[in-house]
């Protein structure tokens, strides 16, 4: 039976069904914020490879949503056994997965066999909508988009995000949207449909262009992040080694031309960036492995398009060494790795 459709400009009395695939460090708080902002009559179905995580989400977030009024409709949170089952029942499907193999596997299961339509009348405003927030290579994403569209399974957009776990928890993420803006099939309205959905989980949406361009923007941004994270760690390590108080040094940097996200929001020194991973011994943030993966994707895309990245190889070496010694930690743990390699005796313990 087709899901009940509703226009996002309509009243919230008509329920819609939302699907969310991937409840990792980023996906869990994003799905939590989504459920908190959805109308009480809407249903949220979640799936994660780790069923215990999905069940935990249902128990924690579903109870809260039910307490806010969704209980009467039984719509708070449901757990699906497979991505295919979730997609069959959902109007909008949001995915947040670790990398290209995971995204390809999930959509392989979703699209084969062909998904049944959710409505007899299909348009950009009513068709099943897939929003992939994973960071993968633009080519793979475009291939998946083509597979979704050619099989008439729905509409697909790439919408990777920036802001880290802190932004996911605070709902302040910036989304980079890749989808057609104008063509003969009505997709000029697709970006207008997707934007308010992403705003339920973030604070800014930038339409970067057609399919794959959201990811192109994300790879350029995360290449810069990979470099600036190392530079921030080196600058803090240098200043402290020269005898500067780390708080005074951070105040100087963040009020001067050297300031960046890594120095302001994710500083690797305790007591500077409230809520930063260093306050939790570098646990629970954007892992070194994910940063290394994004850097490798940027390097691959650069090579395919003949773009030179002078600092990429050395940065890759750094993250490989850090992962080998401190795998599983937030990528700002580069500071601790640098500190351990320094020979000066006047060292701060704030990063410990």
């Amino acid at each position: 039976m087709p899901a009940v459709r509703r226009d996002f400009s309509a009243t919230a009395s008509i329920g819609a069904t939302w699907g969310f695939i991937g409840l990792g460090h980023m996906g869990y708080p994003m799905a939590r914020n989504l459920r908190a902002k959805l109308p009480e009559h809407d249903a949220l179905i979640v799936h994660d490879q780790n069923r215990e995580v999905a069940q935990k989400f249902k128990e924690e977030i579903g109870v809260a949503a039910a307490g806010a009024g969704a209980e009467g409709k039984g719509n708070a949170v449901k757990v699906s056994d497979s991505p295919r089952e979730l997609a069959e029942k959902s109007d909008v499907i949001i995915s947040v997965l670790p990398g290209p193999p995971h995204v390809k596997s999930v959509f392989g299961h979703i699209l084969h066999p062909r998904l049944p339509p959710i409505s007899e009348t299909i348009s950009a405003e009513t068709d099943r909508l897939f929003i992939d927030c994973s960071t993968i290579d633009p080519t793979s994403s475009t291939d998946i988009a083509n597979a979704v569209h050619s099989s008439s399974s729905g509409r697909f957009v790439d919408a990777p995000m920036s802001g880290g776990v802190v932004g996911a928890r605070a709902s302040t993420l910036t989304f980079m949207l890749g989808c057609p803006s104008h063509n003969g099939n009505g997709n000029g309205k697709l970006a207008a449909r997707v934007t308010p959905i992403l705003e339920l989980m973030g604070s800014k949406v930038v339409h970067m262009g057609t399919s794959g361009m959201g990811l192109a923007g994300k790879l350029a941004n995360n290449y810069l992040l990979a470099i600036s994270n190392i530079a921030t760690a080196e600058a803090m390590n240098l200043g402290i080694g020269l005898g500067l108080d780390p708080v005074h040094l951070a105040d100087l940097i963040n009020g001067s031309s050297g300031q960046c996200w890594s120095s302001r929001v994710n500083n690797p020194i305790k007591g500077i960036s409230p809520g930063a991973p260093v306050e939790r011994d570098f646990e629970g943030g954007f892992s070194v492995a994910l940063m290394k993966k994004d850097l490798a994707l940027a390097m691959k895309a650069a090579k395919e398009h003949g773009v030179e990245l002078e600092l990429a190889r050395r940065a890759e070496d750094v993250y490989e060494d850090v992962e080998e010694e401190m795998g599983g930690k937030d990528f700002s743990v580069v500071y601790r790795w640098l500190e351990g390699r320094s020979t000066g005796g006047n060292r701060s313990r704030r990063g410990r």
Side-chain angles (χ1 to χ4, degrees):
M1 179 178 179
V4 178
R5 294 298 316 154
R6 69 103 182 257
D7 189 321
F8 284 95
S9 63
T11 63
S13 59
I14 304 175
T17 301
W18 302 71
F20 202 105
I21 302 173
L23 299 173
H25 289 311
M26 294 292 291
Y28 198 106
M30 289 170 65
R32 180 183 62 219
N33 289 330
L34 177 67
R35 175 64 269 183
K37 296 176 184 179
L38 289 177
E40 65 181 50
H41 292 274
D42 285 12
L44 175 64
I45 306 174
V46 299
H47 172 79
D48 191 89
Q49 187 175 5
N50 185 338
R51 186 173 175 83
E52 291 183 4
V53 172
Q55 199 62 38
K56 175 186 175 184
F57 184 90
K58 177 182 178 180
E59 293 170 0
E60 290 184 0
I61 311 305
V63 169
E71 183 177 19
K73 298 293 180 182
N75 281 348
V77 176
K78 300 175 182 178
V79 175
S80 175
D81 290 329
S82 73
R84 170 73 184 201
E85 179 188 58
L86 180 148
E88 288 178 345
K89 297 178 179 178
S90 301
D91 304 307
V92 179
I93 300 97
I94 300 167
S95 48
V96 184
L97 300 165
H102 309 87
V103 178
K104 291 178 181 178
S105 175
V106 163
F107 277 91
H109 285 97
I110 288 175
L111 298 178
H112 299 96
R114 178 177 173 181
L115 277 173
I118 58 173
S119 174
E120 294 181 2
T121 305
I122 299 300
S123 70
E125 296 95 332
T126 62
D127 203 358
R128 182 186 284 112
L129 175 61
F130 294 95
I131 304 175
D132 184 38
C133 298
S134 314
T135 299
I136 64 175
D137 59 288
T139 300
S140 294
S141 182
T142 301
D143 288 344
I144 293 170
N146 290 337
V148 170
H149 299 154
S150 65
S151 63
S152 300
S153 299
R155 311 292 171 110
F156 178 97
V157 303
D158 52 289
M161 60 281 183
S162 177
V165 175
V166 174
R169 291 171 177 164
S171 196
T172 57
L173 295 169
T174 293
F175 289 92
M176 291 145 271
L177 176 60
C179 71
S181 56
H182 298 286
N183 65 27
N185 298 322
N187 275 348
K189 299 179 180 179
L190 188 54
R193 178 185 174 190
V194 174
T195 296
I197 297 174
L198 296 175
E199 288 175 341
L200 297 174
M201 301 173 288
S203 59
K204 185 176 182 180
V205 180
V206 182
H207 187 195
M208 302 300 295
T210 191
S211 297
M213 291 299 98
L215 284 161
K218 175 62 183 288
L219 294 186
N221 180 81
N222 273 31
Y223 174 72
L224 178 59
L225 177 62
I227 303 302
S228 63
N229 176 64
I230 296 173
T232 295
E234 288 189 318
M236 295 300 297
N237 196 44
L238 171 63
I240 293 168
L242 296 177
L244 289 171
D245 178 275
V247 173
H248 293 165
L249 175 58
D251 286 344
L252 167 66
I253 291 173
N254 290 330
S256 304
S257 57
Q259 66 88 25
C260 60
W261 184 86
S262 292
S263 67
R264 289 184 293 103
V265 178
N266 212 51
N267 198 288
I269 304 294
K270 286 183 179 178
I272 293 172
S273 301
V278 66
E279 307 292 347
R280 305 181 300 276
D281 193 32
F282 298 100
E283 298 290 345
F286 187 63
S287 72
V288 177
L290 288 178
M291 183 75 267
K292 192 178 76 167
K293 182 262 295 184
D294 286 3
L295 178 58
L297 288 173
M299 294 170 68
K300 177 177 180 288
K303 183 177 181 180
E304 290 174 351
H305 290 81
V307 176
E308 184 65 29
L309 299 176
E310 289 290 346
L311 301 179
R313 186 62 61 191
R314 180 58 189 134
E316 185 179 49
D317 290 342
V318 168
Y319 287 114
E320 285 181 353
D321 288 348
V322 173
E323 183 182 28
E324 185 176 323
E325 295 183 25
M326 303 172 182
K329 300 287 189 180
D330 179 79
F331 76 124
S332 60
V333 79
V334 164
Y335 172 80
R336 181 176 289 178
W337 176 81
L338 285 169
E339 188 184 33
R341 293 162 61 92
S342 299
T343 58
N346 186 21
R347 309 303 304 161
S348 166
R349 307 303 292 177
R350 289 177 179 264
R352 295 289 180 180

